[in-house]
Amino acid sequence: MKRFRFRLEKVLEVRQYYERIAEMKLAAAAGKCALLERNLAENARATREAARQRFGAGRELPDMRTVELYALRLAAERERTLKALALAEADREKARQGYVAASRETKLITKLRERGEAEYYRSAVREEVKTLDDLSRAGKNIGRDE
């Protein structure tokens, strides 16, 4: 029996390539979001620590002022990080949609291949059964002709 040959194999390979690229873009966008979220968590930890130190025992006015300025800087960083995170999440969503589209296209060609392959082998089995039936009939008829 001949092996199944899918005519659109090159198209499938190209679509799989684009799917891998889209997956890598999605992973990069997700990594960027994770990094920004980790920065936000670190900022929150530093803000809590600054608030705890602000009114600690033995603090003088210049120390309190320094901690207050540090807290203001942390708040400004948090705002910048939140804006960057919103943009990164938008990029991640765009990358996710691109990956879903590429994946859908790849699955479409894969389904066509699977259907074609199943039909090819089903047909090959039918032909083989017909050939065996013909041989069987021919074998039975050989003895009757004489």
Side-chain angles (χ1 to χ4, degrees), residues 17 25 29-30 33 43 45 71 85 100 107 118 120 128 131:
Y17 172 76
K25 286 181 182 178
C33 287
N43 185 292
R45 186 201 58 75
L85 181 61
V100 167
K107 286 179 184 175
Y120 176 80
E128 189 176 327
T131 304

Side-chain angles (χ1 to χ4, degrees), residues 137-146:
R137 280 190 214 120
K140 288 179 183 177
N141 289 338
I142 289 175
R144 291 186 182 169
D145 287 343
E146 295 178 9

